[in-house]
Amino acid sequence: MESTAGGAGQLLAISDLHIGYAENRALVENMRPHTDEDWLIVAGDIAETVADIRWVLELLAGRFRKVLWSPGNHELWTHPKDPVTLRGVARYDHLVALCRELGVLTPEDPYPIWDGPGGPVVVAPLFLLYDYSFLPPGCATKDEGLTYAHGTGIVCNDEFLLHPDPYPSREAWCRARVAETERRLTEIPDTLPTVLINHYPLDRHPTEVLWYPEFAMWCGTTLTADWHRRFRVDTMVYGHLHIPRTTHHEGVRFEEVSVGYPREWQKRPEPPGRLRRILPMEVGAGDRGAAPGVRGDRGDTR
């Protein structure tokens, strides 16, 4: 671990930029730090093509003192519009190499220590995937859950675009990532709290507001359900659900920091693309819920 923060900066966060939409790309073009010391967490789903991912990370790395990235499912898609046809682990490794070229921290790098206001805190970007253990009510197995999901028409495009090669399945890749990440997190000194960053929430409770509960299968793993306690988590930063809000679970703050699609954020009263302050904690962040009238509509197949 290295300590590279300082001064009066802020630890900020955003996710689910989805710059394939022109409106979202414009939001990213306007994202700037408040001070020269600000760090920015990008918790996945920047875009589907390597070129777009590079554009965003290069732009933000040139503006913020440090950028930390955790991959979402969209970055890992082998999309027919992307000339980079790498699959699975090879695609992830390609993106890690891209980040290192740009000076962006990834889940494969030493975890830095935030020494700014609210610190010291270890800031750990993670890559964990999901294993279909967030099953729909009444389902006991992955096969039952997928059958139910297909019956409702709510099936994530990961089933067609996110390949686990060389692992035999996405859940096998998830379990390998969880085991290796758990090993690394246990090496953090017991005296230091953490900010854990993952595209998916570490606990299932944020998915309880989804309109379509079957979508939760693509939203995390029960293997991490106690990590917020085990690893002294100050804040768990995630995205994916497109329901920006603050919740608390067993005394730990969970921050969903996504932008989402224009059809979603255009309905909300808050200006879109606002960077969420993680440290020092925002006044009023302790009870921020979803915007009025907003409930998870991840009932699409993205």
Side-chain angles (χ1 to χ4, degrees), residues 92-115:
Y92 172 63
D93 288 346
H94 182 77
L95 293 173
V96 168
L98 168 63
C99 286
R100 288 175 171 168
E101 175 191 337
L102 299 175
V104 173
L105 289 182
T106 77
E108 306 311 307
D109 296 310
Y111 301 142
I113 298 176
W114 168 261
D115 272 332

Side-chain angles (χ1 to χ4, degrees), residues 157-168:
N157 268 335
D158 289 7
E159 297 297 311
F160 316 105
L161 298 173
L162 201 167
H163 306 288
D165 314 20
Y167 291 94

Side-chain angles (χ1 to χ4, degrees), residues 208-252:
E208 293 170 356
V209 297
L210 290 171
W211 278 121
Y212 302 95
E214 56 269 34
F215 190 78
M217 286 191 295
W218 295 277
C219 295
T221 170
T222 57
L223 294 173
T224 61
D226 65 347
W227 282 20
H228 58 286
R229 299 190 308 271
R230 286 182 59 198
F231 300 119
R232 306 166 305 284
V233 174
D234 174 276
T235 308
M236 196 275 125
V237 179
Y238 68 101
H240 189 57
L241 304 185
H242 294 194
I243 312 171
R245 61 177 185 148
T246 304
T247 60
H248 284 80
H249 181 61
E250 298 179 331
V252 176

Side-chain angles (χ1 to χ4, degrees), residues 190-203:
D190 291 342
T191 55
L192 288 172
T194 64
V195 169
L196 298 187
I197 306 153
N198 190 47
H199 185 60
Y200 312 97
L202 295 180
D203 180 79

Side-chain angles (χ1 to χ4, degrees), residues 55-270:
W55 178 82
V56 169
L57 291 177
E58 187 169 21
L59 177 73
L60 297 176
R63 293 177 176 177
F64 291 82
R65 176 161 181 182
K66 189 166 292 295
V67 174
L68 304 94
W69 168 77
S70 287
N73 54 315
H74 282 238
E75 286 101 332
L76 298 174
W77 284 0
T78 304
H79 198 281
K81 293 182 179 179
D82 192 355
V84 179
T85 59
L86 295 169
R87 294 163 56 117
V89 174
R91 184 173 180 86
Y92 172 63
D93 288 346
H94 182 77
L95 293 173
V96 168
L98 168 63
C99 286
R100 288 175 171 168
E101 175 191 337
L102 299 175
V104 173
L105 289 182
T106 77
E108 306 311 307
D109 296 310
Y111 301 142
I113 298 176
W114 168 261
D115 272 332
V121 174
V122 175
V123 184
L126 312 179
F127 168 40
L128 302 174
L129 280 169
Y130 52 83
D131 62 1
Y132 302 93
S133 54
F134 292 177
L135 289 166
C139 297
T141 67
K142 171 190 172 182
D143 288 343
E144 288 182 11
L146 288 177
T147 298
Y148 178 83
H150 278 280
T152 65
I154 307 302
V155 179
C156 185
N157 268 335
D158 289 7
E159 297 297 311
F160 316 105
L161 298 173
L162 201 167
H163 306 288
D165 314 20
Y167 291 94
S169 63
R170 282 174 287 276
E171 56 265 41
W173 192 7
C174 169
R175 289 163 190 158
R177 293 297 313 182
V178 167
E180 173 58 18
T181 304
E182 186 174 31
R183 181 193 65 77
R184 289 186 62 195
L185 291 176
T186 60
E187 296 174 352
I188 297 174
D190 291 342
T191 55
L192 288 172
T194 64
V195 169
L196 298 187
I197 306 153
N198 190 47
H199 185 60
Y200 312 97
L202 295 180
D203 180 79
R204 183 170 183 164
H205 83 268
T207 70
E208 293 170 356
V209 297
L210 290 171
W211 278 121
Y212 302 95
E214 56 269 34
F215 190 78
M217 286 191 295
W218 295 277
C219 295
T221 170
T222 57
L223 294 173
T224 61
D226 65 347
W227 282 20
H228 58 286
R229 299 190 308 271
R230 286 182 59 198
F231 300 119
R232 306 166 305 284
V233 174
D234 174 276
T235 308
M236 196 275 125
V237 179
Y238 68 101
H240 189 57
L241 304 185
H242 294 194
I243 312 171
R245 61 177 185 148
T246 304
T247 60
H248 284 80
H249 181 61
E250 298 179 331
V252 176
R253 179 168 56 129
F254 282 66
E255 289 281 0
E256 210 277 13
V257 297
S258 62
V259 175
Y261 303 122
R263 64 176 174 80
E264 296 167 330
W265 56 254
Q266 286 168 353
K267 301 175 184 177
R268 297 171 184 154
E270 291 189 359

